[in-house]
Amino acid sequence: MTIIITAFERSPDGGRGLARDTRVRWALEEVGQPYDVRPMSFAAMKEPTHLARQPFGQIPTFEDGDLVLFETGAIVLHLAGRHAGLLPDDANARARAIAWMFAAVNTVEPPILERETARLLERDASWYEQRLPHVEGRVRHRLKQLSERLADADWLDGAFSAGDLMMVSVLLRLKSSGMLDDYPNLAAYLARGEARPAYRRAFAAQRAIFTTAQKTEI
Ligand code: GTB
């Protein structure tokens, strides 16, 4: 049975790969699992059929036979546990790689999301200009800590793992911000992630959906 994931039928990022289906596609590509995509409109994401898959009405979701999953961290962890390629064999190294997955979504991503929310939704507020430097300071604080830990290593803990897949996916959200310019080792880390053939296939696949949607509209 082919795995099915859901994704935006028309991503608001214009196919830049920032929506979270990209990290699931990337994990599927890393472990060599073929998949189909069910493109979703915003309206369909709030319908009962999709809410049964994803209680918060979001993408992506993952279906493999009877198993239906949501939350990208859980989906990537599931794939990494079931197939070779994303987690080390050694039990302690495996646990550390999983810790990096949690660090990505639980420690590094939240201030990045806070910054995006501020820039997207709070720009007209009287306090926006005062607040933004504080929000960006919290992002920089995490980037500095991560940069210090990564130092001159290629990946966070030995070989590339699901921890790196999640961390690179989170950092990608800052790509156009210029904030990574102050942390050359993080910029290089991001570039290493993006250069992986599996990432490139995942990026191209999500971009193709956007391009097809554009053509259909014209
Ligand atoms: N914690 C969940 C997970 O990791 O799976 C979060 C899922 C999530 O945020 N999904 C977003 C969604 O469905 C899409 S990825 N949003 C619609 C809704 O909540 O109604 C977030 C996202 C959206 C758009 C861009 N973009 O255009 O740049 C980037 C990221």
Side-chain angles (χ1 to χ4, degrees):
M1 193 156 306
T2 307
I3 290 168
I4 301 173
I5 67 165
T6 53
F8 285 134
E9 71 178 7
R10 199 172 186 291
S11 180
D13 72 354
R16 287 189 298 140
L18 300 176
R20 285 183 175 88
D21 57 293
T22 303
R23 51 185 81 167
V24 172
R25 293 171 184 269
W26 184 5
L28 285 160
E29 293 287 354
E30 289 283 354
V31 301
Q33 288 298 300
Y35 63 97
D36 286 337
V37 178
R38 184 182 299 121
M40 305 287 301
S41 67
F42 275 90
M45 284 160 56
K46 311 303 173 198
E47 294 290 334
T49 309
H50 188 69
L51 288 172
R53 295 181 203 114
Q54 216 292 4
F56 309 107
Q58 297 183 311
I59 60 95
T61 56
F62 170 96
E63 291 158 65
D64 186 6
D66 289 344
L67 176 65
V68 182
L69 279 178
F70 64 101
E71 281 298 328
T72 49
I75 297 168
V76 172
L77 184 56
H78 168 74
L79 288 168
R82 192 158 285 194
H83 306 280
L86 281 175
L87 285 175
D89 291 335
D90 174 76
N92 286 357
R94 210 174 168 88
R96 288 197 303 274
I98 293 170
W100 279 116
M101 294 183 68
F102 278 87
V105 293
N106 217 25
T107 303
V108 179
E109 193 166 44
I112 295 175
L113 283 181
E114 193 188 359
R115 176 179 177 273
E116 282 176 17
T117 306
R119 288 168 55 86
L120 232 74
L121 303 177
E122 297 169 355
R123 202 171 273 275
D124 295 334
S126 57
W127 35 261
Y128 173 74
E129 296 294 342
Q130 278 168 297
R131 180 166 186 264
L132 192 63
H134 295 287
V135 172
E136 295 203 325
R138 288 193 277 277
V139 176
R140 285 185 199 285
H141 182 55
R142 288 292 178 243
L143 293 180
K144 180 171 182 294
Q145 292 172 314
L146 187 65
S147 168
E148 285 169 0
R149 172 52 81 99
L150 180 67
D152 60 359
D154 278 357
W155 306 112
L156 287 166
D157 189 351
F160 175 83
S161 78
D164 295 296
L165 186 151
M166 293 302 285
M167 192 64 81
V168 168
S169 299
V170 163
L171 294 180
L172 274 168
R173 303 184 77 141
L174 289 176
K175 197 177 168 185
S176 63
S177 72
M179 294 180 88
L180 290 170
D181 297 350
D182 296 337
Y183 310 93
N185 68 334
L186 292 186
Y189 174 63
L190 195 66
R192 264 191 299 280
E194 287 181 294
R196 291 183 71 81
Y199 176 82
R200 294 166 80 95
R201 288 194 296 274
F203 182 88
Q206 64 76 38
R207 176 122 190 114
I209 282 208
F210 183 81
T211 316
T212 312
Q214 286 277 81
K215 281 192 188 132
T216 314
E217 271 169 33
I218 295 167

